[in-house]
Amino acid sequence: MVRRTRAEMEETRATLLATARAVFSEHGYAATSMDDLTAQAGLTRGALYHHFGDKKGLLAAVVDQIDDEMDKRLQAISGSAKDPWAGFCRRCQAYLEMALEPEFQRIVLRDAKAVLGGASPESQRHCLDSMQSLLSHLIVQGIVDDADPEALAALIYGSLAEAAFWIAEGEDSDKRLEQGITALNLLLRGLRRAD
């Protein structure tokens, strides 16, 4: 039996992830067979089992990868804003806009919800912690009314997540996005401290 180097193992894992991401995005999880997926990757089922356990484990890894990339995009939006309130609002809106991106829509909002029940608890916790931190700073700066930042984060994150599912599920996703942004702006205005 030939021992593979760590670099070869990482390359195999990366190949499986990239192939699965492309195939799941184009055909969806349910329509993707493990044989077709591994053949496209030029690898064996054994490689898939070794790195991810099964097809469901591979989907979870793809979702984690997409979630990580989305989080970096959202952090860049709020982190680069000169006005912290505008950055927070833009970040929330950008999340809803991502619901129209085909890869995010199909893999994260449809397949992951149906197969995995949604994002991993670790990913959800990270999103909540990030939002709680932003809200804490906005409260300290006197921009947002004094409230428990953890409770606010849970409510806003939950609202955004459900709105993204709602946008992705509709035949009229563009119209739903527009309606969602209007509702989001109304919701966020209610957080502002009165001058």
Side-chain angles (χ1 to χ4, degrees):
M1 181 175 188
V2 177
R3 302 271 307 158
R4 297 175 56 94
T5 66
R6 183 170 195 76
E8 289 172 326
M9 296 293 281
E10 288 174 8
E11 183 180 333
T12 297
R13 186 177 196 284
T15 298
L16 283 166
L17 273 172
T19 303
R21 190 167 169 168
V23 174
F24 290 160
S25 182
E26 184 177 346
H27 302 290
Y29 176 85
T32 300
S33 78
M34 290 197 332
D35 289 334
D36 289 343
L37 194 146
T38 53
Q40 279 196 19
L43 297 165
T44 65
R45 270 185 168 215
L48 188 148
Y49 290 134
H50 174 76
H51 288 281
F52 301 103
D54 57 14
K55 183 176 152 187
K56 190 173 176 180
L58 180 57
L59 175 64
V62 169
V63 170
D64 285 345
Q65 186 180 60
I66 294 170
D67 277 347
D68 185 54
E69 290 169 11
M70 288 176 44
D71 183 56
K72 287 177 181 157
R73 286 171 57 192
L74 294 171
Q75 284 184 26
I77 290 168
S78 55
S80 65
K82 292 182 179 157
D83 175 353
W85 174 250
F88 179 77
C89 293
R90 180 67 195 114
R91 177 186 177 129
C92 292
Q93 182 175 327
Y95 181 81
L96 293 183
E97 290 167 351
M98 288 176 184
L100 294 185
E101 295 177 12
E103 181 181 61
F104 177 59
Q105 189 177 88
R106 176 169 238 158
I107 296 174
V108 177
L109 296 178
R110 291 184 179 157
D111 288 345
K113 184 176 183 182
V115 177
L116 306 171
S120 70
E122 296 82 22
S123 177
Q124 291 177 6
R125 182 78 252 152
H126 177 76
C127 290
L128 282 167
D129 290 346
S130 178
M131 183 162 284
Q132 182 179 339
S133 176
L134 289 169
L135 287 163
S136 293
H137 291 305
L138 291 168
I139 291 168
V140 167
Q141 293 170 349
I143 297 168
V144 168
D145 265 329
D146 192 23
D148 181 76
E150 185 176 9
L152 281 177
L155 286 166
I156 295 168
Y157 171 75
S159 298
L160 289 171
E162 285 304 313
F165 289 128
W166 176 72
I167 291 165
E169 290 171 353
E171 292 293 320
D172 53 350
S173 291
D174 289 326
K175 183 177 180 186
R176 285 183 177 209
L177 173 62
E178 184 181 320
Q179 293 168 330
I181 289 172
T182 299
L184 172 66
N185 290 333
L186 178 63
L187 177 83
L188 294 177
R189 275 199 309 267
L191 299 176
R192 292 291 308 255
R193 178 170 284 174
D195 294 330

